[in-house]
Amino acid sequence: MKKALITGIGGQDGSYLAEFLFKKGYQVYGMLRRSSTFNCQNIEHLFNIKESNRVHLLYGDMTDVDSLLRIIKEVKPDEIYNLAAQSDVRVSFDIPFYTAQSDAIGVLNLLEAVKNLNIGCKIYQASTSELFSGDKREAPQNEKTSFNPKSPYGVAKLYGFEIAKVYRESYKMFVVNGIFFNHESPRRGENFVTRKISVGLNEIKSGKKEKMFLGNLDSKRDWGYAPEYMEAAWKMLQQKTPQDFVIATGETHSVREFIEEACKVLDIDITWKGKGLNEKGIDKKTGKTIVEIDPQYFRPNEVSYLCGDSRKARKILNWKPKTSFKDLVKIMVEADLRREKRHNICC
Ligand code: NAP
Ligand code: GDD
């Protein structure tokens, strides 16, 4: 039975990947970092099934090379999926040192641990479309588009990308970078804009709050459905030769469009009034303001336009996205609607 180690197993992607590998028959090991609350709601269900002895959790941290050495020595994985990261772009401007430690040096820690233990496992590195500048003239972005990150997060991830390549080329290690564009789901952290909108509009609809505050509504993202992206990560490690891939839908939509689509699912008729910081989203039926702009959600520097070209993955991995933008929004908003209803029944 193949053994896979997932760092960041409790996050959105880690939880979907754990499910996917579990179904493929892998013995799944997940690295968690210690927190004061047992932050495992995304993976709890994996421990309630018959073969739950195939999922193991181990404590470790990307910034602590000793913990990585201990875990890798103990597990001896065939495949490592390095998903652990400080993944919030805006927050990376507040904690740039920590972001560099976990997202850049953390990758080096992992590569060194695998090299020194000489266990010859395959490594997937979670890279990102935040490596690109977001300049519309360079879109759609693919494996050949130049990198020009705009945030401490993007720069730390660029180090992770390059050091992974260096280890692949210098030591003949099987290391690949997945240049993944934004991918979302009902398990997305509520700090990210899609989930913030999905949760926020549901709370407005149920009367729990009056309005929500957002930043740049005109930023454009290539949003896909997270579980499909985890299959691509697995496929990358099943190739004969290690190489990097862009994974994306090839469609781009603004934050404003995401809000409008989410409003449709909840039967809210939204209209926009005003400009810039004074722009407001108004519910036509009630006349109430439901969206306002708060400058705290703008970034000091923004990647404004992302639209990926994943032709290489479509050809070599035989991978393509299945869920449309409209369906993705529906999946997320309806999941939060069900959550909101359950909550209202309980309280
Ligand atoms: P996520 O939900 O934020 O999950 C990240 C996980 O990493 C969390 O479980 C977190 O643990 C853990 N973690 C953070 N710092 C750590 C450290 N120093 N040591 C050990 N674990 C640590 O992110 P995601 O959306 O699943 O993304 C997974 C990976 O793909 C990340 O590397 C992200 O940068 C990258 N990526 C994501 C996207 C996307 O659109 N989702 C696109 C491109 C690339 P806590 O719960 O304790 O914080
Ligand atoms: N988070 C957030 N909150 N973003 C907002 C808000 C708000 O209130 N208002 C507007 N936005 C805009 C941001 O300025 C950005 O342009 C866009 O919405 C998406 O922001 P996020 O959802 O925070 O995601 P991200 O694109 O910055 O980063 C995500 O995708 C990257 C791949 O491109 C993360 O998952 C990264 O880890 C990942 O690498």
Side-chain angles (χ1 to χ4, degrees):
M1 188 181 285
K2 270 193 176 175
K3 289 193 273 186
L5 170 65
I6 304 172
T7 70
I9 192 169
Q12 171 190 261
D13 288 4
S15 65
Y16 285 118
L17 181 64
E19 268 170 30
F20 177 83
L21 294 175
F22 189 76
K23 284 192 192 129
K24 285 257 169 222
Y26 281 68
Q27 187 100 37
V28 178
Y29 295 81
M31 189 180 91
L32 273 185
R33 58 178 176 170
R34 193 262 160 194
S35 88
S36 56
T37 54
F38 192 57
N39 182 17
C40 286
Q41 56 273 42
N42 285 338
I43 47 172
E44 261 166 13
H45 59 287
L46 286 175
F47 298 97
N48 297 328
I49 46 183
K50 212 169 124 227
E51 310 94 327
S52 58
N53 58 350
R54 282 206 279 119
V55 184
H56 308 265
L57 298 180
L58 302 122
Y59 281 110
D61 196 302
M62 295 308 294
T63 63
D64 171 8
V65 69
D66 197 50
S67 67
L68 293 171
L69 275 165
R70 173 179 48 77
I71 291 171
I72 295 166
K73 203 168 164 185
E74 187 180 323
V75 175
K76 295 191 186 62
D78 300 286
E79 296 171 5
I80 298 179
Y81 295 85
N82 184 31
L83 308 183
Q86 191 302 95
S87 66
D88 189 315
V89 175
R90 204 209 57 74
V91 170
S92 77
F93 288 95
D94 300 335
I95 49 169
F97 290 98
Y98 178 72
T99 304
Q101 284 301 327
S102 59
D103 300 9
I105 302 304
V107 184
L108 178 60
N109 287 339
L110 179 76
L111 292 165
E112 269 295 292
V114 172
K115 176 166 94 46
N116 291 334
L117 290 169
N118 202 16
I119 58 161
C121 69
K122 295 179 173 181
I123 302 172
Y124 169 84
Q125 166 57 19
S127 193
T128 166
S129 45
E130 279 291 311
L131 301 190
F132 301 121
S133 69
D135 183 334
K136 198 173 174 181
R137 289 167 301 184
E138 291 174 350
Q141 296 97 353
N142 62 30
E143 294 81 1
K144 293 192 177 120
T145 307
S146 58
F147 296 140
N148 187 2
K150 299 285 182 208
S151 63
Y153 168 82
V155 173
K157 283 282 185 180
L158 179 55
Y159 178 87
F161 178 95
E162 294 293 354
I163 199 72
K165 246 174 86 185
V166 165
Y167 273 58
R168 174 166 79 211
E169 288 162 8
S170 312
Y171 307 118
K172 309 294 168 238
M173 287 166 65
F174 195 111
V175 190
V176 299
N177 288 295
I179 308 168
F180 280 26
F181 282 61
N182 298 52
H183 44 280
E184 319 291 312
S185 75
R187 295 185 199 167
R188 188 60 145 149
E190 290 180 30
N191 48 321
F192 298 101
V193 77
T194 55
R195 188 75 200 293
K196 184 172 168 183
I197 294 167
S198 167
V199 170
L201 285 177
N202 267 298
E203 289 182 349
I204 291 166
K205 181 85 183 177
S206 73
K208 201 184 271 173
K209 73 173 171 195
E210 280 192 0
K211 57 178 85 158
M212 64 179 165
F213 294 88
L214 293 164
N216 181 0
L217 301 183
D218 296 314
S219 174
K220 289 195 149 190
R221 289 289 181 271
D222 179 328
W223 279 298
Y225 185 39
E228 293 166 12
Y229 285 50
M230 293 305 100
E231 182 177 12
W234 174 77
K235 283 188 163 195
M236 286 175 65
L237 287 193
Q238 312 315 309
Q239 300 305 300
K240 279 210 178 84
T241 46
Q243 47 184 317
D244 306 329
F245 288 92
V246 158
I247 299 295
T249 70
E251 253 188 55
T252 189
H253 296 274
S254 65
V255 172
R256 189 191 307 278
E257 285 175 82
F258 195 102
I259 299 170
E260 288 167 355
E261 202 55 51
C263 281
K264 279 187 208 155
V265 178
L266 292 172
D267 196 27
I268 298 172
D269 203 355
I270 193 168
T271 182
W272 301 98
K273 292 229 167 93
K275 285 246 166 327
L277 293 179
N278 296 319
E279 183 166 12
K280 292 183 190 349
I282 296 165
D283 181 338
K284 269 204 211 163
K285 285 182 207 141
T286 63
K288 285 185 181 162
T289 298
I290 55 172
V291 179
E292 278 195 34
I293 306 300
D294 185 334
Q296 72 163 304
Y297 298 115
F298 284 86
R299 288 138 195 219
N301 207 349
E302 173 76 287
V303 170
S304 316
Y305 187 97
L306 288 175
C307 184
D309 164 10
S310 60
R311 275 176 298 172
K312 181 181 172 192
R314 288 172 195 238
K315 192 167 166 214
I316 299 176
L317 302 179
N318 194 23
W319 177 89
K320 65 171 193 246
K322 297 185 189 94
T323 305
S324 67
F325 172 70
K326 212 176 150 123
D327 287 344
L328 172 67
V329 178
K330 194 162 182 277
I331 290 169
M332 293 182 71
V333 174
E334 287 183 345
D336 280 320
L337 178 62
R338 285 193 294 277
R339 225 179 291 240
E340 193 58 28
K341 280 189 182 151
R342 272 201 306 275
H343 179 80
N344 289 343
I345 290 167
C346 297
C347 302

